[in-house]
Amino acid sequence: MHNNNEARPDSEVQTVHHIALNEEVESFKASPDISVLVAMERAGQRLIPVGCRGGGCGKCRIRIVQGEYFSKRMSRAWISPEQEAEGTVLACRVFARSDLVIEPDPPEIGTSCHAADQSGQ
Amino acid sequence: MKKGVMRPGHVQIRVLDMDEALKHYVDLLGLIEMDRDDQGRVYLKGWTEVDKYSVVLREADRAGMDFMGFKCVSEEALDELHKGLTEFGCEVEVVPEGELKDCGRRLRFQAPSGHSFELYATKKQTGKWGLSNRNPEAWPRGLQGMKATRFDHCLLYGTDLDRTLELFRDVLGFDLAEQVLTPDGKRVAQFLTVSMKAHDVAFIDHPEPGMFHHASFFLDTWEDVLRAADLISMTDTSIDIGPTRHGLTHGKTIYFFDPSGNRTEVFCGGDYHYPDHEPVTWDAGELGKAIFYHDRQLNERFLTALT
């Protein structure tokens, strides 16, 4: 089948990468044109906490243990230059360039209100 | 009692990438680019706003809010407010005229919540965008995206709500319009107004000072909010929650994120407030309904995704 949808050319479908969590069996597929976080959401998984999806709030912080990736600018409030150099990144700003092995590393964000109490979780 | 503070006048927001940010604030939200300065800042406004600009974007290496500014009735009122702020214990920095383009001197201070605020009295008025002030038509042609009408308020997460209320009420002349109280009487949310609107600025109790939750923009109708939701999906924009209604203020709303992770709200409707009105109180046990009136469940992201 052919369509004219240039956003998803056939050639890119063949370069889908596998993103796996360290020491876990779960994994999901990520094409290189969407962030690791959004790829996870589209796979219906919840391995990484989802926040703003824009590199600002820090909730989706992960460590990339293995693999190649491209990253866009991330807020220095959550990722220092040293962390960035060592592969600590925000999953919403990272695009896979090979299969990746990752570890969630969400920062502790306190709250004075309690959503969990409200929702009975 | 009124002290000469008139309305929310501007907010300066930090973005990680200016070109991406302008797609959000101009193409999607529908603000109008009014100017740029030699620092690279971009000045925007909603089309109904009379002053030249209300949103200033600054590219930086972290997201969040630099400051929120309130416009005051006169330079004389500004002098009186300066005294009041100093007596309250605030350190006041006088930012000289012209630091923001076409804006007079600004008094900058930090609230106990950890946020920077400014007061000013003078800003160039260019009038409503695309309309004459004489025999004006209903709306201008050529608006984009959600066609946001004006910058309305900010919601800020921070510390020391009690002292912040004292500052805004006693020094700046705001009223407490709505609040959320815990069973032991602690106020965990306060919605403050200096007008008839249900809020001109709001605060939620948070362990870390100075955090930015959202800047909000006004739309006329629920249909406009639904249309905003359509545009959010059409553009694959990061959504937080909505369309829904708040219990607090009863506004009808949708929340989404700019490409740097700063939350944006567009909303319509909402309650009104006069100075003789008692504050509206929501119990913390009803917080889910207070925030999201239909879901009646607070999502964790709304409390912890901050810039």
Side-chain angles (χ1 to χ4, degrees):
Chain A
M1 282 286 284
H2 254 287
N3 65 34
N4 293 320
N5 186 347
E6 291 176 12
R8 293 170 194 279
D10 287 345
S11 60
E12 287 200 3
V13 175
Q14 294 162 5
T15 59
V16 164
H17 303 299
H18 285 265
I19 315 297
L21 255 65
N22 211 8
E23 297 171 356
E24 301 279 343
V25 290
E26 294 105 328
S27 69
F28 56 90
K29 292 174 181 175
S31 63
D33 59 335
I34 57 172
S35 73
V36 167
L37 186 73
V38 170
M40 179 205 74
E41 287 190 281
R42 288 185 184 176
Q45 297 199 18
R46 297 184 170 191
L47 306 169
I48 308 165
V50 178
C52 69
R53 306 181 189 90
C57 80
K59 290 183 73 75
C60 66
R61 197 167 69 187
I62 58 172
R63 271 189 301 275
I64 299 193
V65 179
Q66 195 181 308
E68 302 297 315
Y69 58 92
F70 164 77
S71 63
K72 293 169 76 173
R73 195 173 197 177
M74 298 168 276
S75 179
R76 284 279 174 246
W78 307 106
I79 305 288
S80 68
E82 295 75 26
Q83 286 174 309
E84 191 172 344
E86 290 166 2
T88 297
V89 295
L90 300 180
C92 64
R93 301 291 275 180
V94 166
F95 301 79
R97 291 292 178 265
S98 74
D99 290 354
L100 299 179
V101 179
I102 64 172
E103 285 178 351
D105 182 28
E108 283 197 20
I109 301 172
T111 175
S112 301
C113 302
H114 297 287
D117 296 348
Q118 300 300 312
S119 57
Q121 288 166 0
Chain B
M1 196 178 72
K2 292 282 186 286
K3 305 280 189 181
V5 179
M6 192 161 47
R7 62 164 176 264
H10 55 232
V11 59
Q12 182 164 304
I13 297 171
R14 296 187 298 271
V15 299
L16 301 176
D17 182 301
M18 186 59 78
D19 291 338
E20 285 185 359
L22 288 174
K23 286 194 179 78
H24 178 87
Y25 288 97
V26 175
D27 299 356
L28 178 62
L29 185 55
L31 299 182
I32 295 140
E33 181 175 333
M34 296 300 292
D35 211 341
R36 297 188 180 215
D37 67 20
D38 53 16
Q39 294 181 42
R41 292 182 296 187
V42 180
Y43 297 63
L44 312 171
K45 72 185 266 180
W47 71 267
T48 69
E49 294 179 281
V50 170
D51 283 358
K52 181 176 170 181
Y53 55 87
S54 59
V55 174
V56 181
L57 301 179
R58 179 173 76 87
E59 191 170 289
D61 67 5
R62 62 187 63 202
M65 182 186 85
D66 280 334
F67 52 79
M68 180 182 181
F70 294 96
K71 193 175 190 190
C72 304
V73 292
S74 67
E75 295 291 335
E76 293 72 32
L78 211 53
D79 289 332
E80 286 302 308
L81 287 157
H82 194 163
K83 285 181 205 158
L85 286 167
T86 305
E87 281 165 19
F88 186 81
C90 286
E91 212 166 289
V92 179
E93 178 194 354
V94 181
V95 182
E97 177 184 354
E99 196 279 334
L100 278 174
K101 271 193 171 181
D102 295 312
C103 187
R105 68 180 167 131
R106 292 129 65 203
L107 308 181
R108 187 180 293 173
F109 58 96
Q110 199 177 67
S113 62
H115 302 91
S116 286
F117 291 98
E118 297 184 345
L119 304 176
Y120 65 95
T122 306
K123 189 186 280 179
K124 183 176 180 180
Q125 296 204 315
T126 54
K128 291 182 184 179
W129 183 82
L131 290 185
S132 166
N133 212 20
R134 178 168 287 196
N135 308 320
E137 302 298 349
W139 37 265
R141 297 188 190 208
L143 295 171
Q144 297 192 74
M146 299 175 187
K147 308 180 185 183
T149 64
R150 65 163 190 257
F151 166 53
D152 189 88
H153 65 268
C154 287
L155 172 59
L156 306 170
Y157 277 40
T159 47
D160 206 345
L161 259 54
D162 286 341
R163 190 84 177 130
T164 301
L165 174 60
E166 286 173 27
L167 171 66
F168 274 81
R169 185 188 55 205
D170 302 342
V171 180
L172 304 179
F174 284 66
D175 287 326
L176 177 63
E178 304 215 8
Q179 60 183 346
V180 178
L181 296 179
T182 64
D184 56 3
K186 181 177 158 63
R187 199 176 332 92
V188 294
Q190 56 195 24
F191 287 60
L192 310 180
T193 183
V194 74
S195 64
M196 278 185 67
K197 292 157 53 196
H199 48 353
D200 287 310
V201 64
F203 296 90
I204 286 186
D205 187 37
H206 190 69
E208 193 176 344
M211 301 303 285
F212 180 57
H213 189 270
H214 71 261
S216 183
F217 299 86
F218 191 77
L219 301 179
D220 286 326
T221 68
W222 177 230
E223 193 70 25
D224 291 334
V225 176
L226 298 182
R227 191 176 161 279
D230 291 338
L231 285 162
I232 288 167
S233 284
M234 283 181 203
T235 52
D236 265 332
T237 297
S238 175
I239 189 163
D240 188 10
I241 192 162
T244 184
R245 182 196 284 278
H246 289 304
L248 283 151
T249 77
H250 295 129
K252 288 156 277 187
T253 176
I254 186 164
Y255 287 97
F256 50 110
F257 294 98
D258 81 8
S260 307
N262 299 301
R263 195 184 274 95
T264 304
E265 176 187 38
V266 291
F267 81 107
C268 70
D271 298 328
Y272 64 87
H273 180 88
Y274 278 107
D276 64 335
H277 289 189
E278 285 295 312
V280 171
T281 300
W282 282 83
D283 297 318
E286 294 285 330
L287 192 60
K289 194 171 177 179
I291 305 275
F292 300 123
Y293 187 70
H294 298 147
D295 279 1
R296 285 164 276 147
Q297 282 195 1
L298 201 41
N299 72 352
E300 193 260 351
R301 180 167 59 215
F302 198 79
L303 294 174
T304 57
L306 307 168
T307 58

